[in-house]
């Protein structure tokens, strides 16, 4: 009998007890940890939206009466069981507790009716309901941010991020749509689907982001918020990647729309160089060692950040410059950013309670503000990150990737077998599936130089050639033409954006999208421009319209053939 | 006196050993396997041991921890490892085969397709069950890194750090198997202190004269309890081996065996007078489950 080994003694009676009851007695109090509820513990009040995050419902808790958001966990693959991204997110969120980090309150399970035997239970993550996300709020035409308000949000964002970084967590998907705001003026960082533990030294005041200790996967962060070092394939990245995202969000709050809206990874870099200048040994030491740099030949330029943000004052420009530093090692960290004079100079940051309340606005229902009837195309699901082994083309040990992100080895290129097409049955984002172009012939085999291609630049020619034989796809020659033939080549995703007025979410899946997609994008630049103007009376975003012609040439120039 | 706990302890110990063996076969780092051990212990605090086959529960916890770590393993690999360990070819809990004996045919421990499918289904449904039971609380803090830190702080002059360090880690790993569930009842720092203390005492290393454990937030009573708990496992296992030959030399304990044993001892329904018809028992369990489900919906 085990109890003869070491006495487990009942604290009250003094009688020996079994280890099992001893352990049960010494458990955490039940109330301190909710565990998992049933979906019936919540009254569903309606769908909030659908997007990269899956389905989100608004609900009221029957126990507490509080409004909550229920985020459905998408079961990507029956094969691998509970999705790893969701598991990681849950695990991380359970470890965190900070006013500026979204709290995971509960998990809820829904048992589908017993009609179909295969129906698995559906899991929901329960978080407090937040009235807005920053992206939706900025897009709400009735909302005008004031400087104290911007300072207040930025301060909270930095507080949250400081907490995350101090606790060894990289968020890796910093963007406006992932920052939730409620009508009490509280900002919270959400969506930890890409987050992971950080192995390196946590940021020290006065020492920027420090030096990376180990490799991580480069396929993170939504493109518009992706820092230059990631775009140039630095693998040993640091907490500084999140700080770049903060800079982008800060700029976005000042201007009212995203500031760096690249259409491809190369284009994104060009936009960054426009803003921050091209890399030199001074502003980005070590840039020559970055894998991509030798292929880049940007036209040297100083960067126009001060001019572009002049109207917001020197304090804002100075902080923005610190956040958008090309040099990831000296890019300001959250500790130091919070000490920046910007927060101490008039106008002072507002207290959260002073911020007026707004009509609820979410990134995913922006069409509310644009009178768009068309449904948003389902955005590519980002939750596939660590889905594990891609069927068929991997060996038994394919799950062993140093990063634990099985199936996403390497940079853009290696996801699919050499023919460049996903294996049959592989899930593709909706916009990538055959939408309007079923009439197209099968895609041509990729060019010979496939294996060294990491991005679509070289391909564009072959695709373009092919397309020249096709009927003109619109705009380029002017004239108001019917949209139909053009649209056959424009993923519905972009159609929405073009009509919807300037704001769109870059597909999160970009990071893993295959080359041929990028080349398609290059194509679209030739064809789509005029059409955009015709169909949308809104002014196109400043940052995007001029680059169309200019850039498609440049894309080729800064790569050596 | 033989009781429920006696069987429970054996199941606990053997299943934890099974997890460790599978972790070795799958070449998982001990940090992953150890976390699986802890999750399994947590799961069994709430879910009765007999609800699922022990090896399935072990496989599911290992799969889940591996998935969360940076060393995920595929269901297929898990299936192969566990089929082997479960088969007659496995040396786990058997007498070591004599050198003259022919090694077993690989077909004897290769799962068939239908076995694979059914294993897969059981694994995934158990995974969900475990997550639900644990309230998705999958974080485990292991004492191993702390123990190393403590050793570095302590400086045992007359002994090499590697020697004392490896013995410390051995104590910690052994404690994972203990049916006393030390990893659930005590904090990592206390476990680390006790392991260091044990290792130092075994090697005769000179410890500081003061109550150094207090520096590491562990009081004397707690340390004493853990020191005895950690040291006692070996003796306990030896005693169990003597007592329960049937369970120990026929491979991994199976639910069926335990149910049979319980019936024999009059612990299961039927009070030993008549053997419980297995099918009848199954039907009863299913009825119960349906009833609770209907009540829920």
């Amino acid at each position: 009998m085990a109890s003869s080994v070491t006495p487990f003694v009942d604290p009250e009676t003094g009688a020996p007890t079994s280890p099992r009851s001893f352990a049960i007695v010494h458990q955490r109090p039940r109330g301190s940890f909710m565990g998992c509820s049933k979906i019936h513990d919540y009254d569903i009040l309606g769908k909030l939206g659908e997007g990269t995050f899956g389905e989100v419902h608004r609900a009221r808790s029957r126990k507490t009466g509080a409004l909550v958001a229920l985020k459905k966990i998408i079961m990507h693959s029956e094969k691998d069981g509970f999705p790893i991204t969701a598991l990681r997110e849950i695990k991380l969120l359970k470890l965190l507790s900070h006013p500026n980090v979204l709290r995971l309150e509960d998990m809820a399970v829904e048992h589908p009716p017993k009609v179909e035997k295969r129906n698995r239970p559906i899991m929901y993550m329960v978080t407090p309901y937040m009235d807005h996300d920053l992206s939706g709020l900025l897009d709400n035409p009735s909302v005008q941010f004031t400087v104290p308000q911007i300072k207040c949000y930025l301060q909270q964002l930095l507080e949250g991020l400081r907490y995350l970084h101090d606790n060894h967590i990289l968020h890796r998907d910093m963007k406006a749509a992932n920052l939730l705001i409620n009508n009490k003026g509280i900002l919270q960082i959400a969506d930890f689907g890409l987050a992971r533990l950080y192995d390196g030294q946590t940021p020290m005041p006065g020492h920027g982001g420090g030096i990376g200790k180990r490799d991580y996967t480069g396929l993170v962060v939504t493109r518009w918020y992706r820092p230059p070092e990631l775009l140039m394939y630095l693998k040993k990245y640091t907490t500084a990647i999140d700080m770049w995202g903060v800079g982008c969000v800060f700029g976005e709050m000042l201007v009212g729309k995203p500031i760096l809206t690249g259409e491809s990874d190369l284009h994104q870099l060009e936009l960054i160089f426009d803003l921050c200048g091209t890399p030199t040994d001074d502003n980005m030491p070590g840039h020559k060692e970055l894998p991509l740099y030798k292929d880049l030949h940007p036209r040297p330029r100083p960067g126009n950040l001060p001019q572009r943000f002049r109207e917001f004052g020197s304090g804002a420009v100075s902080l923005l410059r610190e956040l958008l530093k090309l040099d990831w090692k000296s890019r300001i960290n959250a500790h130091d950013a919070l000490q920046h004079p910007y927060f101490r100079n008039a106008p002072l940051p507002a207290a959260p309670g002073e911020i007026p309340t707004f009509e609820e606005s979410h990134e995913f229902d922006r069409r509310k503000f644009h009178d768009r009837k068309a449904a948003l195309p389902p955005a590519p699901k980002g939750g596939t990150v660590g889905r594990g082994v891609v069927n068929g083309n991997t060996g038994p040990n394919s799950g062993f990737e140093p990063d634990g992100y099985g199936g996403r080895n390497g940079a853009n290129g290696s996801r699919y077998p050499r023919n460049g097409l996903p294996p049959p049955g592989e899930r593709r984002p909706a916009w990538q599936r055959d939408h309007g172009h079923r009439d197209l012939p099968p895609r041509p085999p990729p060019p010979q130089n496939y294996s060294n291609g990491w991005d679509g630049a070289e391909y564009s020619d072959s695709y373009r050639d092919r397309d020249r034989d096709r009927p003109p796809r619109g705009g380029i020659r002017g004239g108001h033409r019917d949209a139909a033939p053009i649209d056959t080549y424009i993923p519905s995703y972009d159609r929405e954006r073009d009509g919807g007025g300037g704001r769109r979410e870059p597909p999160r899946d970009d990071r893993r999208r295959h080359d041929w997609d990028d080349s398609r994008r290059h194509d679209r630049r030739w064809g789509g421009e005029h059409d955009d103007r015709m169909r949308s009376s809104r002014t196109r975003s400043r940052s995007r319209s001029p680059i169309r012609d200019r850039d498609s040439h440049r894309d080729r120039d800064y790569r050596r053939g | 006196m033989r009781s429920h706990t006696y069987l429970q302890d054996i199941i606990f110990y053997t299943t934890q050993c099974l997890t460790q063996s599978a972790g070795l076969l799958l070449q998982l780092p001990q940090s992953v396997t150890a976390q699986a051990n802890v999750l399994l212990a947590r799961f069994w605090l709430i879910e009765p041991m007999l609800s699922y086959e022990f090896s399935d529960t072990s496989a599911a916890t290992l799969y889940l921890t591996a998935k969360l770590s940076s060393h995920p393993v595929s269901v297929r690999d898990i299936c192969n490892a566990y089929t082997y360990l479960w088969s007659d070819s496995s040396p786990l809990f058997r007498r070591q085969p004599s050198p003259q004996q022919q090694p077993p045919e690989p077909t004897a421990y290769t799962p068939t397709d239908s076995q694979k499918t059914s294993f897969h289904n059981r694994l995934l449904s158990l995974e969900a069950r475990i997550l639900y039971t644990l309230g998705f609380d999958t974080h485990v803090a292991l004492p191993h890194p702390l123990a190393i830190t403590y050793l570095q702080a302590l400086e045992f002059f007359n002994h090499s750090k590697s020697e004392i360090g490896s013995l410390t880690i051995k104590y910690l790993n052994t404690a994972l198997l203990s049916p006393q569930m030390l990893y659930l009842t005590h904090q990592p720092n206390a476990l680390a202190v006790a392991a260091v203390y044990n290792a130092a005492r075994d090697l005769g290393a000179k410890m500081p004269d003061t109550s150094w454990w207090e520096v590491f937030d562990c009081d004397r009573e707690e340390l004493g309890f853990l020191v005895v708990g950690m040291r006692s496992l070996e003796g306990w296992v030896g005693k169990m081996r003597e007592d329960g030959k049937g369970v120990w030399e026929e491979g991994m304990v199976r639910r069926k065996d335990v149910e049979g044993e319980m019936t024999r001892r009059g612990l299961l329904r039927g009070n030993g007078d008549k053997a419980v018809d297995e099918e009848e028992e199954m039907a009863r369990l299913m009825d119960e489950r349906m009833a609770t489900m209907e009540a829920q919906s």
Side-chain angles (χ1 to χ4, degrees):
Chain A
M1 204 169 122
S3 40
S4 65
V5 174
T6 329
F8 276 97
V9 179
D10 189 302
E12 277 159 31
T13 61
T17 132
S18 81
R20 187 179 154 84
S21 29
F22 182 87
I24 290 173
V25 168
H26 287 77
Q27 265 185 118
R28 257 191 292 197
R30 274 317 221 163
S32 77
F33 187 74
M34 295 281 294
C36 188
S37 312
K38 303 264 185 302
I39 194 73
H40 306 295
D41 295 339
Y42 295 91
D43 287 319
I44 311 268
L45 303 175
K47 200 172 186 175
L48 278 172
E50 211 168 342
T52 46
F53 33 73
E55 232 171 68
V56 181
H57 298 272
R58 189 164 57 157
R60 190 179 292 282
S61 163
R62 287 188 184 171
K63 285 182 211 151
T64 64
L67 269 181
V68 296
L70 298 178
K71 176 171 151 181
K72 187 174 181 172
I73 294 172
I74 306 162
M75 289 288 193
H76 284 297
S77 148
E78 298 249 317
K79 193 174 139 279
D80 296 329
F82 204 90
I84 180 154
T85 36
L87 271 183
R88 279 169 191 245
E89 183 171 4
I90 294 164
K91 188 174 167 180
L92 279 177
L93 285 174
K94 287 219 161 204
L95 293 174
L96 301 175
S97 165
H98 189 271
N100 299 120
V101 174
L102 190 68
R103 199 155 46 90
L104 178 67
E105 298 201 322
D106 193 6
M107 299 289 301
V109 61
E110 177 181 1
H111 289 283
K114 274 276 160 212
V115 191
E116 278 177 64
K117 213 181 158 195
R118 275 176 62 79
N119 269 359
R120 288 258 191 85
I122 303 163
M123 295 298 312
Y124 295 89
M125 292 168 67
V126 185
T127 59
Y129 174 73
M130 302 290 275
D131 305 86
H132 325 279
D133 64 69
L134 184 58
S135 176
L137 201 57
L138 284 166
D139 227 30
N140 184 336
S142 64
V143 176
Q144 200 65 49
F145 278 20
T146 62
V147 174
Q149 187 184 0
I150 291 176
K151 287 187 180 183
C152 169
Y153 290 153
L154 187 63
Q155 206 168 27
Q156 295 185 60
L157 170 58
L158 288 166
E159 291 284 1
L161 209 54
R162 176 172 68 176
Y163 171 78
L164 292 182
H165 289 170
D166 279 352
N167 284 284
H168 293 267
I169 287 167
L170 288 174
H171 184 274
R172 304 204 296 186
D173 200 12
M174 203 37 70
K175 61 176 175 182
N178 283 343
L179 301 175
L180 305 182
I181 292 170
N182 66 14
N183 270 338
K184 292 183 183 132
I186 301 294
L187 176 145
Q188 295 192 325
I189 302 171
D191 198 340
F192 286 72
L194 289 176
R196 66 157 292 140
L197 285 175
Y198 176 61
D199 268 349
Q201 171 105 50
T202 53
M204 309 271 279
H207 288 86
I211 295 163
K213 190 179 145 199
R214 53 159 281 184
D215 286 4
Y216 304 100
T217 174
L219 304 164
V220 290
V221 191
T222 305
R223 186 197 296 137
W224 293 352
Y225 301 86
R226 210 179 297 161
E229 68 269 24
L230 267 184
L231 289 163
M232 291 196 262
Y233 299 154
L234 177 75
K235 288 261 183 182
K236 285 186 173 42
Y237 53 77
T238 62
T239 52
I241 64 164
D242 289 336
M243 298 313 294
W244 178 273
V246 173
C248 295
V249 168
F250 179 32
E252 190 168 340
M253 285 198 285
L254 294 172
V255 183
K257 57 181 180 242
I259 53 168
L260 295 164
T261 55
E263 307 220 331
S264 68
D265 288 0
L266 284 180
H267 182 213
Q268 186 71 29
L269 269 177
E270 283 298 299
L271 293 183
I272 289 172
F273 296 158
D274 285 345
L275 188 69
C276 311
T278 40
T280 62
D281 287 334
D282 283 337
N283 67 14
M284 198 179 189
H287 66 278
K288 292 201 176 89
E289 281 87 63
L290 294 177
L292 181 63
Y293 184 74
K294 63 179 185 329
D295 296 327
L296 291 176
H297 300 279
R299 176 178 48 81
R301 48 197 187 271
N304 62 3
L305 193 149
Q307 296 88 313
R308 206 174 145 186
F309 291 90
R310 191 168 37 207
E311 57 179 300
F312 305 105
S314 59
V317 169
S318 145
L319 178 56
L320 199 56
R321 282 181 83 137
E322 292 290 330
L323 290 164
L324 297 179
K325 241 186 196 171
L326 290 177
D327 178 16
W328 65 95
K329 295 189 277 300
S330 65
R331 190 177 302 147
I332 195 167
N333 62 35
H335 288 273
D336 297 331
L338 281 165
Q339 300 305 319
H340 195 274
Y342 182 63
F343 296 110
R344 279 176 280 139
N345 294 342
L348 289 172
E354 293 165 16
I355 293 174
T357 60
F358 312 105
E359 181 196 2
E360 59 184 279
S361 29
H362 297 282
E363 186 257 347
F364 45 74
D365 59 15
R366 74 174 80 92
R367 60 198 128 125
K368 179 156 86 187
F369 307 118
H370 294 305
D371 290 321
R372 292 281 302 172
K373 275 200 220 109
L376 267 179
K381 309 280 192 287
T384 54
V385 177
R387 180 152 51 98
V389 187
V390 173
N391 300 348
N393 59 353
T394 40
N397 289 329
S398 49
F400 290 97
E401 222 196 326
D403 211 15
Y405 279 69
R408 296 181 66 213
N409 28 10
N412 292 344
S414 52
R415 181 158 136 87
Y416 296 135
R418 279 184 73 96
N419 63 9
L421 288 172
E426 172 69 65
R427 193 190 63 81
R428 279 191 278 157
W431 51 267
Q432 212 184 311
R433 287 181 214 132
D434 293 353
H435 263 311
H437 48 93
R438 277 183 212 94
D439 51 328
L440 285 183
R443 289 179 196 290
Q448 294 307 308
N449 57 359
Y450 170 82
S451 54
N452 70 356
W454 51 272
D455 202 48
E458 303 104 313
Y459 301 60
S460 13
D461 278 332
S462 66
Y463 275 89
R464 241 176 253 131
D465 286 344
R466 182 177 134 256
D467 287 324
R468 268 184 211 129
D469 302 327
R470 296 173 40 76
R473 278 179 286 111
I476 200 156
R477 256 162 266 166
H480 197 308
R481 53 172 69 247
D482 189 82
I486 307 144
D487 283 346
T488 57
Y489 224 75
I490 302 177
S492 60
Y493 187 79
D494 288 275
R495 214 190 300 168
E496 170 68 20
R497 181 255 314 176
D498 291 336
R503 201 187 169 86
R504 86 186 147 117
E505 209 42 44
R508 215 191 190 196
D509 254 11
D510 269 358
R511 307 177 224 107
R512 45 194 324 206
R513 211 159 25 110
H514 206 264
D515 301 359
W516 56 263
D517 273 294
D518 260 343
S519 45
R520 213 166 57 175
R521 291 198 151 218
H522 286 252
D523 273 2
R524 193 165 37 69
R525 260 185 239 142
W526 293 95
E529 179 193 9
H530 193 78
D531 176 58
D532 292 342
R533 300 231 180 93
M534 283 289 115
R535 279 196 293 151
S536 165
S537 54
R538 284 175 160 270
T539 337
R540 295 185 42 78
S541 69
R542 185 163 30 117
S543 52
R544 202 177 304 120
S545 44
I547 44 88
R548 294 233 147 182
D549 310 304
R550 186 163 46 101
D551 193 69
S552 39
H553 295 296
R554 203 196 294 147
D555 256 10
R556 280 182 294 169
D557 294 341
Y558 55 69
R559 283 191 59 86
R560 199 179 295 158
Chain B
M1 189 184 81
R2 291 282 152 72
S3 68
H4 241 73
T5 47
Y6 168 80
L7 282 173
Q8 273 181 1
D9 291 350
I10 289 188
I11 296 166
F12 187 93
Y13 171 78
T14 49
T15 312
Q16 297 291 31
C17 287
L18 180 71
T19 305
Q20 282 289 334
S21 314
L24 284 178
L25 284 184
L26 293 164
Q27 298 182 328
L28 287 169
Q30 172 66 357
S31 63
V32 175
T33 319
Q35 290 190 43
N37 286 139
V38 177
L39 284 194
L40 178 70
R42 283 188 199 164
F43 179 65
W44 272 345
L45 268 197
I46 300 160
E47 189 78 29
M49 279 176 164
L50 286 171
S51 306
Y52 303 93
E53 184 59 80
F54 315 128
S55 76
D56 285 351
T57 316
S58 158
T61 44
L62 190 60
Y63 175 65
L64 179 61
T65 0
K67 180 148 94 175
L68 279 163
S69 76
S70 43
H71 299 266
V73 289
S74 69
V75 181
R76 197 180 61 176
D77 290 346
I78 292 254
C79 178
N80 287 335
Y82 276 88
T83 311
Y84 170 71
L85 290 169
W86 175 259
S87 73
D88 293 341
S89 321
S90 148
L92 186 67
F93 301 123
R94 285 172 210 281
R95 288 196 187 287
Q96 294 304 310
S98 60
Q100 298 88 1
Q101 217 173 328
Q102 288 291 314
E105 287 293 316
T107 47
Y109 51 84
T110 311
T112 64
D113 281 351
S114 70
Q115 278 172 328
K116 273 186 202 157
T117 318
S118 106
F119 182 87
H120 196 145
N121 293 337
R122 281 180 285 141
L123 188 77
L124 294 196
S125 78
L126 241 170
E127 181 196 37
R129 187 77 219 170
I130 292 168
L131 286 170
Y132 178 89
T133 307
L134 299 180
F136 289 84
D137 199 10
T138 51
H139 182 73
V140 178
L142 292 172
H144 300 61
L146 280 178
I148 299 298
T149 314
Y150 294 174
L151 279 172
Q152 276 166 344
L154 280 169
E155 296 256 4
F156 295 104
F157 293 110
N158 51 350
H159 279 273
S160 78
K161 270 185 182 152
S162 63
E163 194 183 5
I164 201 164
S166 80
L167 193 57
T168 304
I169 297 299
K170 279 179 193 159
Y171 266 108
L172 286 176
N173 287 337
T174 309
L176 283 167
L177 312 173
S178 162
Q180 289 183 296
M181 293 181 278
L182 301 174
Y183 276 71
L184 301 195
T185 54
H186 289 81
Q187 292 296 323
N189 64 309
L191 291 166
V193 167
V196 170
Y197 182 95
N198 271 330
R201 210 174 72 171
D202 284 359
L203 295 171
K206 192 174 169 341
M207 284 183 263
D209 294 329
T210 50
S211 14
W212 55 273
W213 43 87
E214 279 172 13
V215 177
F216 305 117
D217 247 356
C218 177
D219 63 36
R220 212 186 120 81
E221 299 233 322
E222 197 176 13
L223 174 64
F225 179 91
L226 282 170
V227 163
V228 178
M230 283 180 178
R231 303 185 84 87
S232 65
L233 188 74
E234 199 181 345
W236 177 80
V237 172
K239 192 161 165 290
M240 291 297 114
R241 264 181 199 278
E242 280 172 26
D243 283 6
K245 274 206 174 66
V247 193
W248 288 84
E249 293 188 355
E250 288 156 28
M252 178 60 204
V253 183
R254 294 158 205 235
R255 191 158 57 145
K256 205 167 49 143
D257 308 338
V258 171
E259 280 167 355
E261 179 76 5
M262 286 172 78
T263 316
R264 200 173 60 72
R265 295 180 182 194
L267 289 167
L268 215 57
R269 270 159 39 104
N271 211 19
D273 295 327
K274 54 177 196 283
V276 179
D277 182 16
E278 221 172 308
E279 268 180 44
E280 200 181 295
E281 179 67 9
M282 186 65 92
R284 190 185 61 82
L285 284 173
M286 282 170 76
D287 286 348
E288 269 178 15
R289 187 150 297 184
M290 282 306 287
T292 45
M293 273 179 179
E294 272 158 26
Q296 283 160 7
S297 56

